[in-house]
Amino acid sequence: LGHHVPKPPDIRCGNWEAVPLSDEQLTYAATDAWSGLRCFQEFNARGQQTVAEVAAALRIDAIPTGPSARKRPAPRGDREPVAALDSPAELPPTKRSVYRLFYENGLSADSIAELRGIQVGTVRGYLAEAVTAGHAYDLADFDLSLADREAIAAALTLASAEGGKASLKAVKEALPAHIDYWAIRLVEAHLARTRAS
């Protein structure tokens, strides 16, 4: 649906047995119920085929098919594969599923977002986390221009030289507006991975 529903931990994990519930708890519960209804209405409007595709994509090891499962285009430049570390960190199931759909099945980030019901930026963020965790990847699959990669690398170097580990916010502010946080995390992880080898 393209909306973020905030789930503040102090409300989510608060005392739900309290009588009466706080106004924040009532708003949280009403929003949660309304969100479920809106999701049902949207899936119902899309038809059974799309609902079946989404349901299949939600299963961890499922490989979706159909019109929503679009392959990403071949990279424009040279391949830049990086092998997995000997013991990559385990990813949570949702992130592992997104990684597998992208890396192993070749689906586009847009397609994965549609199938999983999440934002494209979230998909790319999960993929950057997989790179950080030590999983195999090909940098060319992310379709970052060489100019953007070099700008990110320079901003990371400058920010870290000014005070230790680079703050993502400081790096983002030093870059052109079209470069998102996921790209900064990806380049940072890629540099750490390739410098270590």
Side-chain angles (χ1 to χ4, degrees), residues 80-86 88 99 103 130-131 134-138 193-194 197:
E80 298 180 60
V82 177
L85 297 178
D86 290 337
Y99 168 76
Y103 182 73
V131 171
H135 293 269
Y137 65 99
D138 189 325
R193 293 275 303 271
T194 54
S197 57

Side-chain angles (χ1 to χ4, degrees), residues 2 5 47 72-73 84 86-87 96 150 173:
V5 178
R72 63 179 178 271
D86 290 337
S87 298
R96 183 177 64 241
E150 288 174 346
E173 289 172 352

Side-chain angles (χ1 to χ4, degrees), residues 106-161:
L107 297 187
S108 70
D110 293 348
S111 178
I112 296 167
E114 186 178 327
L115 288 166
R116 301 290 302 183
I118 57 178
Q119 300 294 316
V120 176
T122 302
V123 169
R124 292 181 171 143
Y126 287 177
L127 296 170
E129 287 182 45
V131 171
T132 301
H135 293 269
Y137 65 99
D138 189 325
L139 191 62
D141 290 334
F142 292 92
D143 202 29
L144 279 175
S145 72
L146 182 58
D148 285 352
R149 287 169 40 192
E150 288 174 346
I152 294 168
L156 285 166
T157 301
L158 181 64
S160 64

Side-chain angles (χ1 to χ4, degrees), residues 56-64 93 96-97 100-101 105 116:
L58 292 175
R59 289 194 298 274
I60 298 303
D61 294 323
I63 300 172
R96 183 177 64 241
S97 177
R100 291 186 64 212
L101 290 170
N105 298 307
R116 301 290 302 183

